Amino acid sequence: MAHRKTILRIEDMTKRYGSKTVLKNASLSLKEGELKILIGPSGGGKSTLLQCVNFLVKPDKGRIWLDGEEIIHSRKKELYAYRQKVGMIFQDFNLFDHLTALQNVQIALVKVKKKTKEQARTRAINELERVGLGDHIKKYPAQLSGGQKQRVSIARALAMDPKVMLLDEPTSALDPELISEVLDVIINLRLHGMTMIMSTHQIGFASELADELVFLEDGNILETGPPKKMLSDADCERTREFCSKITELYGNSF
Amino acid sequence: MEELLFIRFEVLPALLKGLVVSIKLIVPSAFFGLFIGIIIGALRVYGSTILKKAADTYVLIFRGFPLVVQLFIWYFGLPHIGIYLSPMVASIVGFSLCSSAYHSEYVRGAFLSVKTGQTMGAKALGFSKLQMIRFITLPQAFRRALPGCGNEIIYLIKYSSLAYMITCIELTGQGKIIASETFKYTEIFMIIGAIYLLLTTIASWILHRVENSLLLPGFEHYKA
């Protein structure tokens, strides 16, 4: 892995809400094709960290480099261009309710990337077929199941040709039966070498696929390491405690 | 018989003339009112602190001043600073601005009802704020604001009768002229009332048609 180049580097990310610090000096780097999975209790700062990475939440401190170039988020043009290269998947999908699955994928291609309607349409159909939704392109979000919605949102992000994907608990809002259809898509992305940071409670999935697990609690990155070590022999007491509890709860399978 | 002939040949032609003026007042006022209302509503939700304050003040003033007073200011007040508006233009300006203040309230509520997740979704794809409003939140907010905005347009049809106060002789103004010439107040104002009822009925019908044509899965009305 050493020969791969670093795609994303985050340094000293800090975010406060009032007097509460929800993220403290978090640093992280991501090599090409790498998958890092954030684990930790709810409210530990996983979502905040992911949202700080594409500046949906403005960090109080911290710097970010994509492909070696630092992103200055106060320069609007730079920020918008950067966000196009960083795909984001949300826990509750965040599809645009007034648009069909096809239009959801198409709209940013036309309005943001300035592609022609025809190009955008072809691309959108390809991406939707890739996530197994070729038969549902004309449906509105209200007519899709949770798993289908999440797959549309993945297609929507992929159509932008992102260099990195951020996945914020992509399966947490889904019925148990629908989780696997979304995880399958993510596994497929992984096999195609997509660089990703993901937060999840699906510990079985995490341990099999992740290059590294990152344990976050109270806004601190307490420990980072390969899944095997983190789950069975973590250095930090709290990591061990959390990992054994979550393994018990969610099991090793996915 | 004499009565009917009088209505047929004296009253109706005059009222018809007034009706044409009324429609010329209502249609542009409804259009500009809604247009400005959407902009003000969007500013009140998505504007910077200063723009928000400015838009709030706008609403405070145009919703707070009695409409007749606003019309007097546009028609009798502005000439003092060298601006002369015709009665027609002064009325349309007055109606549009007042109506936009009310529209902005419906639009604001509708913008707020769009789930914030969708704005995050749009931003994460690289939409600018303006693009996000135009392509993502406005199309949804507009659908939700329509019943309220329709209500405001129905109101506008009726308060357009205030234009005669600044000598823009529309339907009510014409009626008042013939009535005071003939002293047939009851008959004439009954007819005028019926004409307004007809106008508001047509307007509600059109608004319903528009609402239905914009209906999408996930935006359906409650059906008992």
Side-chain angles (χ1 to χ4, degrees), chain A residues 2 27 29 36 88 94 99 115 129 134 136 160 204 235:
Chain A
S27 298
S29 77
K36 288 204 174 175
M88 181 141 196
N94 295 343
L99 300 176
K115 297 200 175 190
E129 278 170 354
H136 302 280
M160 301 295 282
D235 293 329

Side-chain angles (χ1 to χ4, degrees), chain A residues 51 54 56 79-81 83-84 86-88 90 92 94-99 104 107-108 111-112 114 140-143 156-157 160, chain B residues 114-131 134-137 139-140 143-144 215-220:
Chain A
Q51 291 181 2
N54 66 357
L56 285 182
L79 174 65
Y80 300 146
R83 281 177 175 161
Q84 291 174 41
V86 180
M88 181 141 196
F90 301 87
D92 31 21
N94 295 343
L95 293 185
F96 307 132
D97 286 339
H98 64 302
L99 300 176
N104 259 282
I107 189 161
K111 303 301 180 192
V112 179
K114 310 288 178 201
Y140 286 88
Q143 298 166 314
R156 183 173 74 174
M160 301 295 282
Chain B
V114 178
K115 282 174 264 157
T116 48
Q118 294 187 52
T119 63
M120 299 209 329
K123 282 185 198 159
L125 288 164
F127 280 79
S128 70
K129 204 175 201 180
L130 204 62
Q131 288 175 322
R134 204 171 136 210
F135 301 119
I136 307 301
T137 56
Q140 297 181 51
R143 290 179 163 85
R144 297 215 171 97
L215 221 54
L216 294 176
F219 289 81
E220 296 95 342

Side-chain angles (χ1 to χ4, degrees), chain A residues 90-93 95 133 141-153 170-171 173-175 178-179 181-182:
Chain A
F90 301 87
Q91 184 175 335
D92 31 21
F93 331 125
L95 293 185
L133 290 173
Q143 298 166 314
L144 296 170
S145 73
Q148 292 171 332
K149 281 190 232 184
Q150 193 60 295
R151 286 188 281 154
V152 173
S153 96
T171 57
L174 298 177
D175 287 342
L178 303 177
I179 289 177
E181 68 183 57
V182 171

